Amino acid sequence: MPEKIRITEVGLRDGLQNQPVAVPVEGKLALLEQLIEAGVRHVELTSFVRPDAVPQLADAAQLVDAAMQRGLASRLDDCMALVPNMKGYERAHAAGVKSVALVLAVSETLNVKNINMTLDQASGICETVTRRAADDGVRVRVYLAAAMGCPFDGPSPPARVQALAARMIDAGADRIAVADTIGAGHPQDVPALFEPLMRAHGQARIAAHFHDTRGLGSALAWQAALCGVRQFDASIGGLGGCPFAPGASGNVATEDLAFLFEHAGFATGIDLDRLLDVLDTVEALLGRRHQGRVAAWLANQRTKRRAQAAQINALSS
Ligand code: COA
Ligand code: ZN
């Protein structure tokens, strides 16, 4: 049996939060459905932040409700929503969300810019929200943002990431997503960051979230896989970026990571041909071409396979 790699699709949140076009609920549902058809089972659907801070995701409650009504949420193993504070948690809980993602930047300044709190305040709020979620039976994942560098404060010390990860797991978080929010990381920095986290908490608890700002997203993911990481975030077509973290470009593309790992013999459960269809939908919704690297090559291969199949059919009929 091939070893599994879990890819969590964050395009609907991390991807769409930074687009000039606000995608309507129906468009988001169409995207979600196609991603599910392609085999995606872990999704970050939206975020319950201030609607005026991120208008692209102001329909969070409506989207969650529609995903449940249409039977899409129940086809997922994890349907997460990001919450920045207790108010966001309460809105998500009221909407029926069973899995939340909290955000804690490991640097001082990004917390202020992103969620208007100091690191100390943000850590405290994360603990409080995590405990409350545990009481409600809601799963918690904590993003440790800017884990490889902050646009304001520079490089992030791995020891700080480790201390915050341990603190959040103690508070009841079931997963930590180590996030290179602005794509500041280099593959050679990955072992010092991830090896101690994997030793301390294991594969089930640690996920890696890379951005492809400098074209190193896949290399970072591969290096993290060599350190034992088996859970990765990605966004279809490499959509993404954070409006509050200057310099952040899109996440590493789902199709690039699925290709990287499938080609190495891991099982992601994702059908690459079907992802190509999802990319067409992304383009139709946003009016621009995706940023992923492998899609053009995959499309070429698909065309060749189809031409060969047509030839064989013609010969046998
Ligand atoms: N959802 C909706 N409204 C919220 C809210 C939330 N999660 N949190 C606070 N508010 C409202 C409050 O009710 C209050 O409203 P009022 O003026 O009508 O009483 C107002 O916002 C101010 O509340 P305050 O607690 O001072 O929040 P803030 O203004 O410091 O905003 C955040 C904090 C985190 C909600 C805001 O900075 C935000 O949404 N940031 C977006 C972060 C993000 O999406 N980053 C990218 C992903 S990492
Ligand atoms: Zn991100």
Side-chain angles (χ1 to χ4, degrees), residues 21 71 113 119 186 213:
V21 180
K113 301 269 187 200
L119 174 54
H186 188 282
T213 314

Side-chain angles (χ1 to χ4, degrees), residues 13 17 47-51 53-54 82 84-85 87-88 91 103 114-116 242-244:
R13 194 280 301 172
Q17 75 181 6
S47 80
F48 288 83
V49 290
R50 271 180 61 166
V54 187
L82 186 145
N85 55 11
K87 166 109 186 190
R91 288 176 56 213
V103 189
N114 192 30
I115 53 175
N116 201 18
C242 176
F244 309 95

Side-chain angles (χ1 to χ4, degrees), residues 55-76:
Q56 296 91 331
L57 306 184
D59 56 9
Q62 209 191 333
L63 179 61
V64 168
D65 185 58
M68 291 193 298
Q69 297 296 332
R70 307 259 179 109
L72 295 173
S74 59
R75 292 170 68 189
L76 295 168

Side-chain angles (χ1 to χ4, degrees), residues 12-35:
L12 286 150
R13 194 280 301 172
D14 211 349
L16 297 187
Q17 75 181 6
N18 209 27
Q19 297 302 316
V21 180
V23 176
V25 169
E26 283 306 323
K28 292 176 181 174
L29 291 169
L31 201 52
L32 176 62
E33 185 162 18
Q34 264 194 322
L35 285 162

Side-chain angles (χ1 to χ4, degrees), residues 103-164:
V103 189
L104 175 61
V106 307
S107 72
E108 202 54 68
T109 312
L110 188 55
N111 281 304
V112 177
K113 301 269 187 200
N114 192 30
I115 53 175
N116 201 18
M117 292 178 216
T118 63
L119 174 54
D120 202 42
Q121 286 171 326
S123 317
I125 299 275
C126 270
E127 283 178 319
T128 311
V129 176
T130 298
R131 293 204 179 97
R132 164 75 191 283
D135 286 348
D136 293 337
V138 170
R139 298 177 66 189
V140 173
R141 166 198 235 230
V142 177
Y143 278 108
L144 292 180
M148 301 191 86
C150 166
F152 309 103
D153 299 351
S156 302
R160 195 187 296 169
V161 180
Q162 281 145 36
L164 290 171

